[in-house]
Amino acid sequence: MDTLVLQDSPPPPTASAMAESTIQNRLLRALAPEDLDRLRPHLEGVPLDLGTRIIAANTPIRQVYFPESGLASVSLSTGEGGRLEVAILGRDGMVSPALLLGVDRTPFDTEIRVSGQALRLDAEVLAAAVARSEGLRALLLRYVQVVNLWTSQTALSNRRHKTEERLARWLLLVHDRIEGNDLAITHEILSMMLGVHRPGVTVAVHELESGGMIATRRGVITVLDRDKLVRLAGTSYGFAEAEYERLVGPFRD
């Protein structure tokens, strides 16, 4: 996808037309036209390069990212040299939603797992826009509620579900946020994302592959049958996505 740069001049005909035809971020597309107008002159198109840490733990958050494509992983240090993923974000949302709660830093790192593009905005600009618009503030706080649900569902899944079910859920979360059916990912990264030892991940991948849900080749997983993944994930997937639809707007294109 080409880099998107929004400029002050000349502006597009209307903010709503731009949201429909150009902006891919679903959270921005859900904004009222007047709220998008407040943000549009300040949005800057930037690349999201694989492996880039766009938010570092316990450091001031100066900028907000609205992914247009690609995937960001939010993770927490385990204190033993390892990391555990607590959320993934893509074109459904923003990095970091903590700013909407008046928090200028978090203990989480956010890194790019799938390269893409984003619209970047200074945190101060967003804060000023939220202060001026109750509608903007309300919508973004509803998004925070959905993020909390995703995080809670991740914790529940890690506690209650087998590795195969957790892997199915994770693949669905990724599939919701990227173009196409291919994901470049190694078993080592999957192990970190799921908090499971690598042999357990390998067994789970083989289980899904033998069930016709995915295909694998070196460093790439391809989703073959999404419906089967949904059935395997069971109650670990779907609730937060339905809440996004109810509280924010369309979740899948």
Side-chain angles (χ1 to χ4, degrees):
M1 182 177 294
D2 295 333
T3 301
L4 174 64
V5 181
L6 299 181
Q7 301 175 334
D8 293 345
S9 176
T14 65
S16 57
M18 182 183 70
E20 291 300 322
S21 63
T22 306
I23 288 181
Q24 300 302 311
N25 182 275
R26 293 164 182 153
L27 185 56
L28 289 179
R29 290 167 67 99
L31 297 182
E34 60 271 19
D35 289 326
L36 185 58
D37 277 335
R38 288 189 177 93
L39 301 182
R40 179 177 55 80
H42 308 283
L43 293 168
E44 175 192 12
V46 295
L48 297 176
D49 296 327
L50 181 65
T52 301
R53 183 172 297 179
I54 58 176
I55 301 290
N58 302 312
T59 61
I61 303 171
R62 307 295 188 192
Q63 296 170 315
V64 184
Y65 295 81
F66 294 92
E68 293 275 274
S69 59
L71 196 71
S73 170
V74 183
S75 63
L76 183 68
S77 172
T78 62
E80 303 172 350
R83 305 203 65 82
L84 181 65
E85 183 178 77
V86 298
I88 59 176
L89 301 167
R91 55 186 176 181
D92 56 297
M94 61 174 282
V95 182
S96 165
L99 287 169
L100 301 170
L101 301 176
V103 177
D104 72 341
R105 65 194 71 196
T106 76
F108 304 109
D109 289 305
T110 303
E111 298 183 14
I112 302 305
R113 294 297 177 201
V114 176
S115 60
Q117 304 288 332
L119 295 172
R120 188 171 63 188
L121 182 71
D122 285 346
E124 292 182 356
V125 172
L126 179 63
V130 167
R132 288 195 300 269
S133 171
E134 178 60 32
L136 176 61
R137 178 177 179 274
L139 178 68
L140 294 181
L141 286 179
R142 291 199 296 272
Y143 168 69
V144 172
Q145 167 69 1
V146 178
V147 172
N148 288 338
L149 290 173
W150 267 312
T151 304
S152 299
Q153 205 159 14
T154 297
L156 179 62
S157 181
N158 288 346
R159 174 71 175 174
R160 298 288 298 275
H161 295 102
K162 297 177 181 179
T163 302
E164 291 83 1
E165 296 168 323
R166 292 164 58 190
L167 176 58
R169 174 181 183 266
W170 191 84
L171 290 172
L172 288 167
L173 295 177
V174 173
H175 195 237
D176 286 336
R177 292 164 172 83
I178 65 171
E179 296 286 349
N181 297 315
D182 294 339
L183 173 63
I185 193 78
T186 65
H187 286 200
E188 182 178 359
I189 293 296
L190 275 177
S191 175
M192 190 268 283
M193 296 297 95
L194 296 174
V196 177
H197 293 304
R198 185 169 174 176
V201 169
T202 299
V203 170
V205 168
H206 288 164
E207 187 75 20
L208 269 61
E209 190 169 24
S210 65
M213 301 172 221
I214 62 173
T216 64
R217 62 184 188 275
R218 187 173 182 84
V220 177
I221 294 178
T222 301
V223 173
L224 297 179
D225 194 325
R226 180 182 171 89
D227 290 340
K228 285 185 178 180
L229 287 175
V230 171
R231 288 196 292 272
L232 178 59
T235 57
S236 70
Y237 175 81
F239 177 64
E241 290 72 21
E243 283 294 275
Y244 188 103
E245 293 270 356
R246 185 176 74 88
L247 297 176
V248 179
F251 181 66
R252 291 180 59 82
D253 295 333

